[in-house]
Structure formats: C-alpha cells, structure tokens
Amino acid sequence: MSVLDIAKGMGVTLGHLFKKPVTVLYPEEKVDIKPRFRGRHHLLKHPDSDLEKCIGCSLCAAACPAYAIYVEAEENDPNDPTSAGERYAKIYEINMLRCIFCGLCEEACPTGAIVLGHEFELADFRYQDFIYGKDELMVGVKGSKWQRREAAKKNKEVNIGVKSVPRKELEGVNYD
Amino acid sequence: MKVKVNGIELELAPGTSAIDAVFAAGSDVPYFCSHEYMSPVGSCRMCLAKIGAPRKDRATGNWVLDEETGEPQIFWFPNPMATCTTAIMEGMVIETEAEEAVKAQRGMVEMTLINHPLDCPICDKGGACELQDRAYEYGEGISRFEFDKRHQEKHHQLSELITLDRERCIHCKRCIRFFEEVPGDEVLDFIERGGHTYIATVEEGLESNFTGNITDLCPVGALLDRTSRFKGRNWEYEHTITSSLDDASGSAIVLDSRTGRLERIKAELNTQVNKLWIDDSTRFGYEYVNSSERIKTPLIRKGDNLEAASWQEVSEFIADKLAKLAQKEAAIVLRADSTLEEGYAAKNLAKILETGQIDHYPRQLASVIPNNSASLNDLASSDAIFVIGDVSQNVPIVDLRIKDALKGVAPPEMFEHGVPIADLRLKERMIRKKEILTVAAPYNVDLMRHAGQAHIYEANSEEAIFKALTKIANGEDSSVAAMSNEQAEALVKRLNEANNAIIIYDGFSLASPAAAIAARNFANAVGAKEIILGQMANSYGLEAIQVLPSHERYGYAEIMQGSAKALIISELNPANNSQYAQNLKELELLVVHSIFENETTALADVVLPAKSGYEKQGTIVNLEGRLLEVNAAPIDAGQAQDFEFLAASIIAALGKEGKEDLASLAHKAIRKQFGVDSKKLDPEGDLKPLKPRANNKAKLHIQSTNIGNALIVPTMLRLEYIDKNPHLLAERGAAKLTMNSIDADANGLKNAEIVSLDVAGIKRSFSVQIKDSVPAGLWLIPALPEQAIGLLELDRASLKKELEPA
C-alpha cells in the first residue's frame, strides 16, 4: 500500500464532506418514504361515488399469517349502500400488534380496498389502542390513534412524520 | 359385472352407474347435477368420459373379437358419455383421463362459467362451492368469452328463509328435482328456455316443510339460507356434527358457529336416519340461541328482584333449603329433550333427596317404546304402512321416509366412496305406490295427499278404530269408524300379507293408554312392526332410563298441583298456566333452569342459566331406539350449564358426593342398560331398541277425556322459541288456531285475525286459520312443551279478538 492509495481513500471521504447528507433529522424533519414501503393500512373508497371498496369478503383475514384481521359482514341496504357490492364490512379490525406488515392482505383483496400505506408512527400506551377499526383505517383519516388523540388535546392539526407521494394503489390517500 | 376404469379392473353389481364405477376405482369425474338421493338426469354434462363396450354378434351370440389381439373388441361410443346416466355393461371400458374426455370436461367448465358471475368474494357459498372447486380442478383458468354475461335478478326472495340469485344458477335442476322427488311438493320449476331459463315458485311461494334442503344441495351460491346470509365465510366457521334435538328423529346436523355465535345449521349425512335431509324447523329454528335476552348468570331472589350470583352461592342456598325438607317433598322435572346424561343426573339427585317425585314432560300416559320396533330404513323399504296421526308435523323425517317407501326403492347399498352418487333406480316423476299407504287422522293432515286411502275420524276414537281393526284381523265382523267395511278389510289384508308392514302412531293414540294398547294388539294381530312418535327428541330415552315418577300421584300434573314443597324444573314454563302458577307461588323452593325469562322464572327463588340443545354434550335415543351423540358447538352462553352440572353442584353443596362423578355414573348406566359405550358411539348411531316396560297395563284404569272441543295437535315448530327466531316467524307466522268456516262464522272470526284464548289455563294468542277440511266443532291448537298432544275441553267464551297493532 502506497501513500497514494491512502490519499485516494481520503479523497473519497473528502468528497462526501461536500455532498448533501442522507441523514434526516427525524422527527424535526419529515421522512420521504419510498413508494413500496409497507406501513399502516388504509381502507379505500371509490373516489367518484364515495362507496367503500371493501365488500367484507374476509379474504384478507384468511390470507393473514398473523391472524391480525377480523371481519364481520352485513348486507347492504339497497337504498343506502355502504359498499359497491351486495355486502359491506360491518366490523373491520386490524390488531397492529399482531400485524407483521407483510402485505398479504393487500395481495388477497379482490377489490383493492385494503392497502398498506406509509404511516409508521403507531406507538401507543394500551393494548386496546392497537386495535384499528373502520374509523381509524378509513381513507381520509390521518395519523395513528395516538397522533390524533394528541392533536385533539392540543387542538392542532394531526402532524405525521411522512411527506411522501403515495403509490397509485393508495387511491385517495394524501400525506400532505 | 366386470368393468375397466382407467385401466383398473373392477367387479361391480349390475345396475351400477358408470360414475359410481369411476369413483369405486378411485378415479374422479366432476359433476353438478347428480346427487346421492335423487334421480340422475345428466343435465349438467360435466361427468363426461370416453366409454366403450364389447359387442356380441347377433347371429352367433359370441363376442366380436379384435382380429389383432384375439380379445373382445371394444366399440367406443361416438361421443363422450355422461357417466351418471350410463349403466355399466359387461366388459365396459370407462376412460376419464382420455384426451377427448378431458377436453370435453374442460369445455363444459368453460361453458358453465360463461354465464356464471364471478362474484365469489361476496357469495356465501364461496369456499364451499362445488363449481369453484371443479373450475379449479378441471377448468382452463381463463375464459375466451369476451361478451357481456347474462344478467338476471340477483336478489329474488323465494321465501323469508331462502334467497335466489338467478345469475348464479347453472340449471342443474337439483332443487326442482328435490321438491318433486323427495317431499313430493312440486313448488319450483324452470321457466323459459335456453339461456333465459330461470327457476321460479308457484304463486303461493315455497309451500313445503323441507325448503331449506335446496340451499344445501345447490352446487353454486344461487340458493342461499337467509338466516345466515353474510354471517361469515365457510372457512371461518367451526363445524360441529351433532344430532338435532328438534324432534324425535335425531337427524344429523352440522352446527356452523363463529365467535361464540351459532350462525348456520346444515344437514349432515346419516344414511340410517335422515339421509341428507332435514326439515325447516330443524334448520332455521336456531336463532334464539344468539338472543341477547338469554339468561347468562345464575340469579337469586333478593326481595322482589332476582340478582346475579355465582353457581357456588346458589347451590349452597338450594342445598340449605333442600336439607330442611323431609323425604318425598322435593320434585324434579326435566323437559323431554334432555339428554340421557341429564336424565341420570336427575335420577341420582332424586335418590339423594329421597324423593320419587321426578318426571319428564311432555309425556303421555302410554309408553313411547314399541314392542316390535321398526327402524327408519325398514320404513323406507316397507310395503304396507298404516299411519294414524299427524306424522308430517310430529316428526317430518318420518314423513320423508314414508315417501321413500312409496317410490318402492330400498335404501341403496354402500360403496367404499359412500352412498351411490347416481342411483339408477331413481327416476324423475316416478309412479308412487300410493296404495301401500293408509293415513287416518282426526283432521286433514299433509300426508293424506300421498296416501292411497285417507280417513278423517272423530277425535279420540283411536281405541275404537284399533279394536275394530283387530277384530277384523281376527276374522270377526266389525265396523271401523270413518272407513267402509271393504276399506277396513282391504287395509287389514294388506298389512297381513305384507312382508314388512309398519304401523305408525303418535300422541293422539298415546293420550289414552287403552288406545295405545289397542294399537299394539292390532300390530301383533297383523304382524306389523311399530313406530311410535314421541313428542320430543329424547322422549324414548328418558322413558327407557325411567325418569318417571315412583307413583302415579307424583306425575308432572300432580307436582304442578302441589304434591311437592320444593321443585327443580328444567326448561319448562308451567307458570304459563294460571292454575299451576298459584301452586308454584306456594312452594318453599322453586329452582328454574331456563334459557329465557318467563312466567316461571318470575316466581322462582333461584334461576339457573340453561344450555340450549346446541351446547350440550350427551346422548339421546331417537324414536327407533337409536343412541345418538349430541355434541356441543362453541357458543357463548355465559355461565349456562346443563342439568348434569346443576345436579352435581347441588349434590356437592349437600355434601353427598359419591366416589364417582355423575358423568361416569351415567356412562356406566348407559352401558348397563343399552349395552353400548356412550363415548364410542357409531357416527350414525347404535340401534338398540328396548322392550317396553310391563307397567303399561297398570295405567289402564286412567281414562283420558273422551269429550272435548279442541285438539292439541303436534307442530313442527318449536313455539316456545318462535318469537326469537325472526326469520322462521316471518315465514311461518305466529301459532295458528285452525277451525272450520262454520265455527269461524259462528264466532265472527276472519282468516289471519289475531285472537287470544284460554287453553286449559294457558293464555295464548293465535292467528286464526280457516280450513274447511277440519271437522266442524273441533278447534286445532298447536302444542307447547307444557301441553301434551290430545283432546281437551276449551272454554270458548274466553276467546278475545286482539286489536291489530297500529
């Protein structure tokens, strides 16, 4: 090894000194997440008709390797339907403690109703707060249960640490 | 007969269908329209195979030989054949894996799927769908059909219980054939032709007691059970195979439960009892178990209120009270659908309390155990049947098995793969041998439509009829009420000459011991076997193990009239009778074991939560004398327990526990009495008919009431729960008071009017049903568990019209 080689190596180090740093100062700064990141789920709606995409078929629950999903279906009222199919999910619950964020529910879903999004700040205090129901999962709801609780307490807007552009499957989801 | 399936040589009986030959060889063909207990029609064209057979030379009678091999030459059918409608021939060769057969099967799947919507995710059949499975196994996986699929009505409500999705129908015709072939009620048919074909009912809707079976046999999700609609997916259910406690047949059923709720009941195969069919009450009458009104904890009286307590607390309270009683002062009453284990527990408790006041109810004066009993399969192959009573409402499965006998097709021989998939002896629209069936009843019963001879006799003349028939059988002259002499003689002759004559009678004859003995004597005189229809699921078993009072003065009616100072009563509501309620108030201790709050729990000192028939574990004996297993489904019923637990906790609180617990005592007692291990029963039940006890004659002096203007009639529905079975209530309506139009006019009543009536102390409400087939002067009242079948005197002045709810 010559002095020249050492100088080469130090040159690389020196070069990086003048590049933009990769480190993000989370949580002060928001994270730009890659499109295929698998975070908290969203239940989506048909954007034009406001009907839920979920038809309560339970295939996500069948596919789930962690038994984290529980679905109870009910027949749609034909005059005031909740979903686009004959039935809808009356109860849709995901236990975020059990969930391993593998995305098999998304694979199994025949209507693209359940999609894993980019939110990842799910920490909370009680077991029961990790059960996410329809109210928490429905598209348009921003933030985890804790984040929304804090926001309501401080009377501020929900602030999430994500600033990415959702992939096309996350129809109607907005992280701005 | 030798056949060769995919290269495997088999020896099969002549008359076997080619599809059974295929399955017997361990091969498989797809099929939708063929069904174990219905005629093969070949309408779905799925079970295609390449079939050929050798041929005999007409001139010489020798096999035509292949010139090269010297073996008989196989002549192939020009096209693939439907194996379900093809009978095997000597030397037949069936190839299901030949290229042309595979291509034809694949083509048929594609063809069937052309007009089948792919809405499996929202279909209740998804996951248990024959079309789904066959498309996966035999289909191409892709469709070449680029056009719009057929669009038809997706939500056609056939009845309150069944919904039809016409887009999903694949025209296999199973449901239509079922109604014509099995119960003989032609209520469904194809309308239009070709791609426009759809199924529709007659105008009255689905008028049959067996409609629910079409939801089981539909190979796709076209016909679905409305009580379980969208309650869960097939793979999410816990399946519990058990015997129904709905009626005395003990039909095999599957309980589908999920998250502590019972969501669906389906029929299960029991080749000896119900085949694959169950009646609508058995199938749809379950919703009450999920009711939020159920009692879920023990309750103890504190002043005017009942307050929640633990089993421990209440058993100590009960034991304290019981310990103060002298012997013979306590009484125990079970409902007649309690299991054998509960019966033995009650007997053991009675022994410890030193009382003979123990009974089960509804129970009639005469025994339900026949002398020479026939099994239901005997009935299905019978050649002369005499029915006296209302079988169709009492035990609907017996009604179906009678209809099997009318077809003259004995139960099939089993294959290794089970019941033959296509029984070629069965045909569509078979000619029924009506002449072998004679039905007599005090009013027009459903089975009379299928009988060669039908007789309506005056209520309570069963004894006279049986006695007169016995005289004729003994060669004496006699005349039988409601029958001409020729008819009576023909009936006796037919029963006498038949190889397998069977006499069926029910509560109408049992209400009077003399009539029951006359029936038995008549059966002996003509050499017929007997089937006796008990009113409830375990009437036979509880009588067999003698959950009976030690003396006549300690029977159910006597207990209710104040023969005891303390009463432990399970699942009955005697206080709905105002006279009994007065006596129950005066008891020192009233313990009520019940599922729901009622008039009796309102009087109780202690209320204990009971298990429904779907939550119990135990053994019952059906009307043939067959021991059947009852299994518990995982249903959330709080702290509900069966009577065995109740008895055990009282015995423990009394400090009188023996060396063995009640369960093992019951297990031993069953082995001693029936000679079977109740923990290792055959899935189809063990047939162990008993001889009846001799003490029947002792009761001869008890005369049943000869006079009466109303008849308590059997009903298929469990009226005590009908209010909590919303779908069944919507379809069947409230309890009916049936009368002739003469009576209706005399009382100013109209059809479907709601009335209330005092029925021998029980205030009940009915909807009026006017039927001119009912004899004038006789009112028909459906039975409650607190009211055994038979004639009674009604105070017709108590009839009140209820105001229609606004």
Side-chain angles (χ1 to χ4, degrees):
Chain A
M1 194 190 282
S2 67
V3 178
L4 195 65
D5 289 331
I6 294 170
K8 256 186 197 168
M10 294 306 284
V12 172
T13 312
L14 204 67
H16 276 282
L17 269 179
F18 300 101
K19 275 191 185 161
K20 203 181 159 200
V22 191
T23 325
V24 180
L25 289 176
Y26 176 82
E28 282 78 26
E29 278 177 32
K30 295 195 173 199
V31 193
D32 186 8
I33 278 173
K34 293 280 177 278
R36 278 162 59 186
F37 180 83
R38 297 194 297 262
R40 167 174 93 75
H41 313 65
H42 298 280
L43 269 176
L44 305 186
K45 286 182 174 178
H46 289 285
D48 39 351
S49 63
D50 207 44
L51 290 173
E52 288 172 14
K53 281 186 179 176
C54 177
I55 50 169
C57 72
S58 248
L59 285 173
C60 47
C64 182
Y67 301 101
I69 307 181
Y70 178 77
V71 186
E72 249 178 55
E74 198 160 88
E75 188 156 12
N76 262 324
D77 176 1
N79 301 318
D80 180 24
T82 310
S83 79
E86 265 180 297
R87 69 166 170 206
Y88 69 99
K90 184 177 63 174
I91 297 176
Y92 191 102
E93 286 177 350
I94 300 182
N95 184 340
M96 293 299 174
L97 286 173
R98 284 190 184 180
C99 180
I100 56 168
F101 301 93
C102 65
L104 284 184
C105 48
E106 186 180 331
E107 294 279 324
C109 185
T111 59
I114 189 85
V115 184
L116 278 75
H118 293 174
E119 290 180 19
F120 57 87
E121 299 146 308
L122 298 169
D124 215 323
F125 297 97
R126 291 173 298 183
Y127 282 131
Q128 69 193 59
D129 287 333
F130 289 92
I131 313 284
Y132 278 58
K134 270 180 93 171
D135 292 346
E136 285 84 27
L137 296 169
M138 197 53 69
V139 61
V141 176
K142 198 174 170 188
S144 68
K145 275 193 182 182
W146 178 79
Q147 285 170 324
R148 283 184 295 117
R149 220 167 38 233
E150 281 300 293
K153 214 186 279 172
K154 293 176 181 159
N155 211 3
K156 281 184 184 167
E157 264 193 35
V158 180
N159 185 25
I160 57 169
V162 181
K163 59 163 187 182
S164 56
V165 180
R167 60 198 160 106
K168 73 171 196 316
E169 286 84 355
L170 285 158
E171 199 174 16
V173 176
N174 193 349
Y175 293 124
D176 294 335
Chain B
M1 241 173 217
K2 276 204 173 67
V3 290
K4 203 175 188 182
V5 182
N6 296 338
I8 298 170
E9 291 228 10
L10 294 166
E11 184 72 39
L12 293 167
T16 306
S17 62
I19 195 167
D20 283 310
V22 171
F23 278 84
S27 298
D28 182 56
V29 278
Y31 63 94
F32 297 128
C33 67
S34 200
H35 189 275
E36 284 85 343
Y37 289 112
M38 295 196 297
S39 65
V41 290
S43 62
C44 73
R45 313 308 299 170
M46 272 306 306
C47 59
L48 298 172
K50 185 183 173 192
I51 297 181
R55 195 182 281 169
K56 274 182 180 166
D57 193 319
R58 287 213 179 132
T60 62
N62 294 328
W63 292 113
V64 177
L65 299 180
D66 194 322
E67 280 172 15
E68 282 174 25
T69 60
E71 297 279 306
Q73 191 188 345
I74 302 297
F75 292 87
W76 298 98
F77 281 105
N79 290 319
M81 296 288 287
T83 50
C84 67
T85 50
T86 310
I88 56 165
M89 294 190 285
E90 185 63 51
M92 186 181 256
V93 180
I94 305 165
E95 286 185 7
T96 60
E97 282 153 21
E99 197 192 331
E100 59 194 272
V102 170
K103 193 169 170 236
Q105 289 166 2
R106 198 173 288 170
M108 278 316 299
V109 172
E110 191 179 359
M111 169 90 169
T112 307
L113 286 175
I114 278 182
N115 278 327
H116 188 85
L118 298 179
D119 53 2
C120 305
I122 51 164
C123 176
D124 271 343
K125 204 82 171 190
C129 174
E130 292 177 44
L131 179 58
Q132 224 177 15
D133 293 350
R134 297 295 97 79
Y136 187 76
E137 289 163 3
Y138 291 92
E140 192 75 70
I142 49 154
S143 174
R144 290 173 291 171
F145 188 73
E146 291 170 353
F147 311 99
D148 228 17
K149 290 194 178 217
R150 171 189 59 167
H151 286 292
Q152 278 185 331
E153 205 182 342
K154 278 190 85 70
H155 307 272
H156 184 81
Q157 206 170 306
L158 284 185
S159 73
E160 291 292 336
L161 301 168
I162 293 164
T163 179
L164 166 65
D165 184 328
R166 286 183 172 147
E167 281 189 2
R168 290 185 191 148
C169 177
I170 59 165
H171 309 143
C172 70
K173 214 183 170 189
R174 275 188 188 175
C175 48
I176 297 169
R177 276 146 60 211
F178 167 77
F179 279 119
E180 189 271 312
E181 293 178 20
V182 181
D185 306 317
E186 288 183 63
V187 291
L188 207 61
D189 209 345
F190 278 144
I191 315 285
E192 297 264 9
R193 305 200 310 176
H196 305 287
T197 313
Y198 62 91
I199 52 175
T201 63
V202 291
E203 269 175 33
E204 293 81 20
L206 290 177
E207 292 249 310
S208 172
N209 292 339
F210 303 95
T211 59
N213 292 308
I214 59 175
T215 64
D216 276 353
L217 54 80
C218 183
V220 293
L223 292 160
L224 295 167
D225 176 347
R226 288 195 72 228
T227 63
S228 66
R229 193 135 166 82
F230 301 144
K231 293 282 173 65
R233 307 310 305 276
N234 287 293
W235 57 84
E236 293 174 331
Y237 290 132
E238 185 82 34
H239 307 289
T240 312
I241 297 173
T242 180
S243 310
S244 167
L245 294 178
D246 195 70
D247 61 40
S249 68
S251 302
I253 51 173
V254 188
L255 308 175
D256 286 352
S257 51
R258 184 186 178 215
T259 52
R261 291 167 61 83
L262 180 55
E263 303 287 31
R264 177 171 70 186
I265 292 182
K266 292 171 89 173
E268 173 67 17
L269 177 72
N270 185 332
T271 58
Q272 309 294 313
V273 179
N274 60 316
K275 304 210 286 188
L276 267 170
W277 319 124
I278 53 175
D279 61 88
D280 284 358
S281 171
T282 305
R283 183 184 302 267
F284 300 116
Y286 69 87
E287 287 178 282
Y288 72 92
V289 296
N290 300 329
S291 166
S292 57
E293 291 166 38
R294 277 188 77 161
I295 304 172
K296 296 214 164 170
T297 55
L299 303 168
I300 192 160
R301 182 162 301 280
K302 298 254 166 80
D304 282 344
N305 298 325
L306 286 166
E307 284 175 19
S310 69
W311 271 92
Q312 173 96 23
E313 251 173 89
V314 294
S315 351
E316 277 163 13
F317 173 80
I318 297 166
D320 270 357
K321 289 258 187 181
L322 287 174
K324 287 175 196 151
L325 294 177
Q327 57 182 20
K328 296 180 188 167
E329 284 185 341
I332 302 167
V333 179
L334 297 181
R335 195 168 65 187
D337 63 350
S338 306
T339 60
L340 291 183
E341 283 78 359
E342 289 176 301
Y344 280 119
K347 282 185 72 175
N348 281 317
L349 182 59
K351 208 161 127 196
I352 285 167
L353 299 174
E354 296 176 331
T355 179
Q357 304 209 45
I358 172 171
D359 204 351
H360 66 275
Y361 204 78
R363 175 178 71 85
Q364 268 138 330
L365 294 171
S367 166
V368 297
I369 302 178
N371 238 346
N372 183 8
S373 80
S375 72
L376 290 172
N377 270 0
D378 287 343
L379 177 62
S381 44
S382 171
D383 49 358
I385 304 170
F386 178 43
V387 178
I388 185 155
D390 189 353
V391 176
S392 323
Q393 289 295 325
N394 218 318
V395 189
I397 289 304
V398 174
D399 167 276
L400 283 192
R401 302 311 299 269
I402 291 172
K403 287 163 184 167
D404 280 351
L406 300 186
K407 286 198 245 174
V409 176
E413 294 288 319
M414 291 293 143
F415 285 100
E416 213 168 290
H417 62 265
V419 186
I421 293 160
D423 187 342
L424 293 171
R425 298 172 301 166
L426 294 167
K427 302 274 186 302
E428 269 192 291
R429 302 194 167 274
M430 287 180 88
I431 294 167
R432 310 300 210 280
K433 297 191 287 177
K434 281 190 170 191
E435 66 281 2
I436 69 167
L437 176 64
T438 304
V439 180
Y443 53 95
N444 193 1
V445 298
D446 193 42
L447 194 61
M448 286 181 176
R449 290 186 289 136
H450 304 272
Q453 279 183 39
H455 308 284
I456 296 179
Y457 60 82
E458 202 183 326
N460 211 38
S461 54
E462 292 86 4
E463 184 189 347
I465 292 173
F466 280 122
K467 279 191 169 158
L469 285 170
T470 315
K471 275 190 177 173
I472 294 172
N474 292 336
E476 296 164 42
D477 273 347
S478 186
S479 71
V480 184
M483 284 187 207
S484 72
N485 283 351
E486 295 81 54
Q487 285 175 326
E489 275 160 26
L491 169 65
V492 169
K493 187 162 176 264
R494 193 166 54 248
L495 291 169
N496 248 329
E497 286 173 1
N499 297 323
N500 191 2
I502 289 173
I503 294 177
I504 303 173
Y505 52 97
D506 66 0
F508 295 136
S509 309
L510 299 175
S512 133
I517 286 173
R520 189 154 294 169
N521 291 341
F522 176 56
N524 283 339
V526 292
K529 289 185 176 175
E530 294 162 84
I531 288 179
I532 305 178
L533 310 177
Q535 198 169 329
M536 282 198 133
N538 203 17
S539 292
Y540 188 116
L542 292 178
E543 189 188 319
I545 64 167
Q546 299 201 33
V547 183
L548 295 170
S550 59
H551 299 86
E552 272 159 29
R553 60 177 189 276
Y554 290 154
Y556 172 78
E558 289 74 21
I559 294 170
M560 294 311 148
Q561 277 154 9
S563 73
K565 284 192 178 163
L567 172 63
I568 303 171
I569 187 160
S570 181
E571 304 208 52
L572 286 164
N573 178 22
N576 61 7
N577 184 325
S578 51
Q579 296 151 16
Y580 290 173
Q582 278 304 322
N583 299 327
L584 293 175
K585 268 182 208 158
E586 281 155 26
L587 288 173
E588 281 172 26
L589 174 68
L590 176 59
V591 180
V592 182
H593 185 223
S594 176
I595 294 184
F596 293 111
E597 288 182 7
N598 54 30
E599 289 92 336
T600 314
T601 59
L603 301 176
D605 298 307
V606 174
V607 178
L608 297 168
K611 282 188 171 180
S612 72
Y614 309 108
E615 295 144 31
K616 287 179 191 171
Q617 192 78 39
T619 316
I620 58 160
V621 188
N622 81 348
L623 51 81
E624 310 163 87
R626 181 185 299 279
L627 276 90
L628 291 158
E629 213 173 286
V630 177
N631 292 316
I635 297 167
D636 175 20
Q639 296 180 47
Q641 294 290 355
D642 60 4
F643 197 84
E644 190 175 311
F645 183 92
L646 188 159
S649 47
I650 294 177
I651 293 171
L654 283 168
K656 300 216 170 146
E657 285 162 298
K659 278 182 201 149
E660 280 180 286
D661 63 355
L662 291 178
S664 60
L665 284 175
H667 181 236
K668 274 188 182 164
I670 291 172
R671 192 197 297 258
K672 196 174 162 209
Q673 170 130 31
F674 298 94
V676 288
D677 185 346
S678 59
K679 284 177 186 152
K680 288 176 191 151
L681 286 177
D682 189 274
E684 301 211 318
D686 287 285
L687 192 60
K688 299 278 173 196
L690 299 177
K691 289 285 168 204
R693 288 166 306 104
N695 73 353
N696 275 314
K697 278 188 184 148
K699 288 182 188 159
L700 256 179
H701 65 277
I702 303 177
Q703 285 298 317
S704 60
T705 46
N706 275 324
I707 42 155
N709 55 8
L711 193 61
I712 304 287
V713 299
T715 169
M716 181 176 95
L717 304 171
R718 297 287 290 267
L719 292 179
E720 67 272 32
Y721 298 131
I722 191 88
D723 290 345
K724 291 172 185 86
N725 290 330
H727 287 90
L728 200 58
L729 180 67
E731 176 64 19
R732 292 292 180 141
K736 301 269 192 306
L737 173 67
T738 315
M739 61 176 80
N740 193 293
S741 57
I742 299 169
D743 290 87
D745 292 343
N747 289 284
L749 294 174
K750 290 193 290 282
N751 226 345
E753 202 162 5
I754 307 293
V755 294
S756 73
L757 188 63
D758 185 334
V759 184
I762 304 181
K763 192 168 182 286
R764 294 177 63 182
S765 114
F766 298 102
S767 114
V768 175
Q769 187 181 37
I770 300 172
K771 269 191 186 170
D772 279 337
S773 56
V774 176
L778 189 70
W779 292 11
L780 306 183
I781 294 165
L784 278 180
E786 293 81 18
Q787 215 153 33
I789 295 162
L791 202 62
L792 61 79
E793 185 64 34
L794 198 68
D795 176 17
R796 289 190 178 169
S798 69
L799 183 87
K800 273 197 207 104
K801 288 186 199 180
E802 299 280 309
L803 289 175
E804 285 290 323

